[in-house]
Amino acid sequence: MKKILGTSLLLLNLAVFGQSQEDSIQFAKISTEILNNGKGYTELRDLTKNIGHRLSGSEAYEKSVKWAEQKLRNAGADKVWLQEVMIPVWVRGKESLQIQTSNGKWKSLKMLSLGNSEGTGGKDVSGEIIMVKSMEDYDKLSADQVKDKIVFFNYPFSQSYIETFKGYSDAAKYRTTAASLTAKKGGKFAIIRSLSSAFDNVPHTGAMRYSDDKKIPAVAIGNTTADELAELLQSQKVTAKLNSNCGMKGEKLSHSVIGEITGKKDKSVIVVGGHLDSWDVGEGAHDDGAGIVQSIEVLRTFKKLGIKNNHTIRVVCFANEENGVKGGVQYGKTAKENNEEHLFAIETDAGGFTPRGISLEMDDEKRRQIQSWAKLFLPYGVYDFTGTYSGTDLYPLHDMGVPTAELVPDSQRYFDIHHTEEDTFEKVNRRELLLGASTLTQIIYMIDKNW
Ligand SMILES: [Zn+2]
């Protein structure tokens, strides 16, 4: 009995070993192909330099739709199509923020209106600045104290978290709610300290929203600008004057771009994607041009290496992640209407930095299965399978019960440049970007083979 058990265990071990050896070989082929022949970096240069930033609703976004369609065809997709989606149109226009101190002189501050914010309609709006350091501070102020004032929410991005996304989430409520909170107590507009890990004066935009009809402006200033303003406020009254033209300009029909290679065995779908839109400053290189070219690279690599995929592998370039998530919502809705079975979906929207892991939002059994593949990823520096979140565009799929995931790159530099004029192609490293594409291709190879 002991001997039989021993023999069968040995056979089982050999089978598992043989299996994982085959997978190791395939992983190496994928990595070697992408690092040597990957097109993602040059494609990112093309997207960022020839089209540039591409807020949904803009002409540049429409150009990027055509661009993505072409790139998916070039990569060897069997089918490429556009998915219609109604998106909000927000336009920045001209904007300026000035402060006046006790010497009477006006000084311009580097600023950005927050995305989705209404402006001042091209008129000057001014008032005395009052500073709060936290929500708790703000809650203590009476409506009388806030009326006609400019509220400066000087809440710092925490430097303590090693996972910088935690610092970002922690500070995010200031960006989303500052305007409505200020309006509720009769303030004229809100200034926030940027959701930024950098020690510089670069303002970071990003989505805000109104919780009621009182729509006053909200703007962001960089960290050193915020520190200087805070110091001034210690010793004197400071007046701020805002003049801006931004605002919502209705809705528009636009598109997400989808391309796939059909499954050999069945029609169930594995999604890999990122968002094609970006904010209207910088070049949308890390956020999320990187994710787009990495996703296309996955498809290209499957074709190039002649990997026969069992299931359909679909690249989705989502529209409007930044200021509405309408592309993600529409994708989920359409998948449901068409009764499409989705096996797995992964998004890459955390920057094109060195991959460190994959975050898994799914039931324990599936999580454990993916975690059991961790050894295969280790030679590529990918070790962290502990995260439990997934990409914003994927939440509709997740709500339908689809196991979802997100690529986890090194996050130390992402929030220095996120949603700023600094998010440019030059900040992306070719090897780091392509290693991310390699990790995505490897995980999709495993899912396709085993699920
Ligand atoms: Zn993004």
Side-chain angles (χ1 to χ4, degrees), residues 275 287-288 321-322 349 414 418-419:
H275 62 88
D287 188 15
D288 186 23
E321 189 271 348
E322 293 293 6
D349 180 22
Y414 191 51
H418 184 242
H419 299 173

Side-chain angles (χ1 to χ4, degrees), residues 56-97:
S56 60
S58 67
E59 244 178 72
Y61 180 77
E62 296 310 319
K63 276 187 198 163
S64 73
V65 166
K66 293 214 167 67
W67 179 93
E69 212 184 336
Q70 191 56 52
K71 295 298 169 195
L72 281 162
R73 286 189 208 290
N74 295 352
D78 303 335
K79 257 190 277 174
V80 179
W81 71 99
L82 305 185
Q83 182 168 76
E84 290 191 347
V85 51
M86 288 303 289
I87 48 114
V89 180
W90 181 78
V91 176
R92 179 177 302 278
K94 274 191 179 166
E95 55 190 9
S96 68
L97 177 67

